[in-house]
Amino acid sequence: MTREPLGVLGAGWVGLVTAACFADLGYDVVVRDVLPERIEALQAGEVPIYEPGLADLIERSRDRLAFTLEPEEVFSRARIVFVCVGTPPMYSGDADLSAVWSVLDELPMRTDGVTLVMKSTVPVGTGEKVRTELAARGLSGVGYVSNPEFLAEGTAIRNFQQPDRVVIGSFAEEHGDAVAALYVHLNAPIVRTDVASAEMIKYASNAFLATKISFINEIANVCEETGADVSVVSEGMGLDPRIGPSFLRAGLGFGGSCFPKDIAALKQLAGNSGYHFQLLTAVIEVNELQKRRVVGKLVKHLGPLRGKTITLLGLAFKPHTSDMRQASSLVLASRLLSEGAHVRGWDPVAIEEARPLLKGVDLFDDMLEALEGADAAVIVTEWDEVRNFPFDEAGRVMKTAVLVDGRNVLDPDEARRAWYVYEAIGRPGVS
Ligand code: UDX
């Protein structure tokens, strides 16, 4: 059975992962982006973003992938077109939908039978607004389906190929059916619903995961005052299937391109409808405070930080990505600089992304060089190199062996045996 070609608008992270995974499933996919340099790179066989496994997948499916600047090439070949454009936050917290509206501006008049499938994260109610706008432009023959993505950076290919669920919200059943048919090979639960509920599932899911993290971070802070160990506490909690073990890792707070943006947009959305979302306000506040808590731990062991050298181990918002968006390292570095400390940063892949964002911070891609003469080190991102922390070598080059484990990845006993002053998050320290 020949498969209908698919269209993808937006060759960013979501668009390329979506296109590559559908091509891998045997679909011909036409990908369009507005950035000439991005399309040229893709046409030349380069993949302009860092995501494990993506470059191989694109290479493997190259004969089924086409990259273009021309929207016409998408709409002339594909009837199902995924919208994967950026919806970055505006200063108000609202999502910027200008790229979504540009898609409508570029819709050729002869697009009856085309279905737009929204994968970008858009506020609840956007689908309704798009439908109204399509009708106003005489394009009511164009279908609209909400199909949010739940891809995490670093595991996006797996998240697409083995989804926990596929969410499909549609106005017309047949449009939902057509999109659902694309996912049958993935053997995942398919949630069929209305467009607004599908849009809300995305926001509510991210907001709940962020709430879980802020909750366990607060528990960790109470553990520090009461002598309990949050790692054991979250393990004990997580065995209850009503709670579940995931997203209960205490640390220096959450970052990235999704959680901060989505919870701000959801809070704003609620506010726009006259509802004060108190819980999310607290989730955001706890998260911002959590990024700063390390400063107190350092002062406890080093005294005033003016003139002290502090090395941040890991800068990206999480491991397996070079993404610095809303990374905890950004806030922590500026806090330490404002305390008069000399700040150094090490990261295995994010140094170039970090350079323009971390002015005043000396950056290293060699961990031991970054630790040379340091008064203390702080684990900010739990890269594998950090999990296998070289206690002896590091101890030899650091000025004082003070280590703050901001991701609770090390074994306190090993730190003790190596004569480190060791502090973690919500765990009994070693001094
Ligand atoms: C997230 C969602 O996981 C994904 O489903 C959605 O589609 C996009 O947003 P991502 O932002 O890539 O994905 O990262 P994720 O792995 O979820 O981590 C987000 C942040 O939470 C990171 O800063 C991470 O360090 C932090 N985190 C995660 C914790 O602090 N504790 C945890 O237990 C889990």
Side-chain angles (χ1 to χ4, degrees):
M1 178 196 85
T2 56
R3 292 190 169 146
E4 285 244 1
L6 301 176
V8 170
L9 301 174
W13 183 71
V14 172
L16 284 179
V17 170
T18 302
C21 288
F22 274 124
D24 188 52
L25 285 170
Y27 292 90
D28 289 338
V29 185
V30 193
V31 183
R32 188 269 180 155
D33 198 278
V34 293
L35 299 177
E37 64 276 13
R38 182 169 285 180
I39 293 300
E40 279 152 27
L42 287 159
Q43 288 168 339
E46 295 150 34
V47 178
I49 61 165
Y50 173 80
E51 178 62 37
L54 181 60
D56 298 346
L57 204 58
I58 287 179
E59 191 45 45
R60 211 166 63 217
S61 321
R62 184 148 288 281
D63 56 348
R64 283 189 293 279
L65 284 164
F67 301 102
T68 178
L69 286 169
E70 308 308 326
E72 185 49 41
E73 277 188 47
V74 173
F75 293 112
S76 62
R77 293 189 51 198
R79 290 191 305 147
I80 294 183
V81 176
F82 288 90
V83 180
C84 303
V85 296
T87 56
M90 300 202 284
Y91 292 114
S92 63
D94 293 290
D96 175 354
L97 297 179
S98 51
V100 172
W101 299 122
S102 309
V103 168
L104 266 59
D105 296 340
E106 291 168 342
L107 271 176
M109 285 315 291
R110 284 172 294 92
T111 27
D112 276 11
V114 162
T115 299
L116 295 177
V117 185
M118 186 58 70
K119 260 205 178 301
S120 305
T121 304
V122 293
V124 181
T126 301
E128 192 57 56
K129 289 187 186 134
V130 169
R131 178 165 70 159
T132 310
E133 192 56 31
L134 286 169
R137 297 179 187 208
L139 293 166
S140 39
V142 174
Y144 184 94
V145 167
S146 168
N147 176 219
E149 51 82 11
F150 300 96
L151 310 174
E153 290 190 38
T155 58
I157 305 286
R158 190 180 73 235
N159 297 145
F160 187 103
Q161 295 173 334
Q162 299 156 27
D164 299 322
R165 80 292 208 196
V166 174
V167 173
I168 294 174
S170 60
F171 297 116
E173 202 63 19
E174 69 272 18
H175 296 146
D177 295 346
V179 175
L182 301 175
Y183 290 99
V184 281
H185 311 289
L186 300 181
N187 300 322
I190 296 192
V191 180
R192 294 290 302 273
T193 182
D194 61 277
V195 169
S197 302
E199 292 164 340
M200 182 56 95
I201 290 173
K202 171 66 184 183
Y203 274 118
S205 301
N206 275 358
F208 185 76
L209 292 172
T211 303
K212 246 183 137 175
I213 297 168
S214 280
F215 180 83
I216 200 67
N217 281 335
E218 291 225 280
I219 290 287
N221 302 341
V222 179
C223 284
E224 286 177 12
E225 306 305 325
T226 56
D229 181 339
V230 74
S231 302
V232 182
V233 172
S234 62
E235 196 187 328
M237 289 168 63
L239 290 168
D240 180 333
R242 296 168 299 171
I243 300 172
S246 62
F247 283 68
L248 284 180
R249 273 181 298 106
L252 294 185
F254 57 77
S257 60
C258 294
F259 285 179
K261 167 174 80 86
D262 292 351
I263 54 178
L266 181 54
K267 181 169 174 276
Q268 185 65 37
L269 179 75
N272 296 349
S273 348
Y275 181 76
H276 174 47
F277 206 140
Q278 298 174 63
L279 196 54
L280 281 187
T281 307
V283 167
I284 295 166
E285 199 183 318
V286 167
N287 197 53
E288 285 313 309
L289 288 174
Q290 199 65 11
K291 296 173 183 176
R292 294 160 168 79
R293 275 182 69 79
V294 161
V295 176
K297 294 175 188 290
L298 291 168
V299 170
K300 185 169 92 181
H301 294 289
L302 300 176
L305 300 182
R306 183 160 301 285
K308 299 284 183 353
T309 299
I310 314 292
T311 299
L312 305 183
L313 298 176
L315 301 172
F317 86 93
K318 69 173 193 177
H320 315 304
T321 174
S322 58
D323 197 334
M324 286 293 299
R325 286 176 286 184
Q326 303 284 333
S328 298
S329 60
L330 300 172
V331 169
L332 183 52
S334 43
R335 276 295 297 115
L336 293 170
L337 287 170
S338 69
E339 294 291 326
H342 302 301
V343 183
R344 296 178 174 175
W346 163 86
D347 194 283
V349 299
I351 292 293
E352 288 327 307
E353 279 81 2
R355 206 174 292 288
L357 305 169
L358 287 173
K359 294 271 182 280
V361 175
D362 299 330
L363 298 173
F364 299 78
D365 52 16
D366 179 286
M367 190 195 291
L368 288 177
E369 263 182 51
L371 289 167
E372 186 88 34
D375 294 282
V378 180
I379 294 176
V380 181
T381 315
E382 63 276 28
W383 288 99
D384 295 341
E385 294 89 333
V386 164
R387 289 176 182 281
N388 309 316
F389 186 71
F391 282 101
D392 297 339
E393 296 93 322
R396 274 196 289 277
V397 299
M398 290 176 74
K399 188 164 155 222
T400 46
V402 173
L403 183 58
V404 177
D405 183 351
R407 297 293 174 184
N408 290 352
V409 288
L410 299 180
D411 170 5
D413 296 334
E414 202 178 347
R416 178 183 303 114
R417 280 193 297 277
W419 296 102
Y420 275 72
V421 170
Y422 173 83
E423 282 267 357
I425 307 294
R427 308 193 68 190
V430 176
S431 52

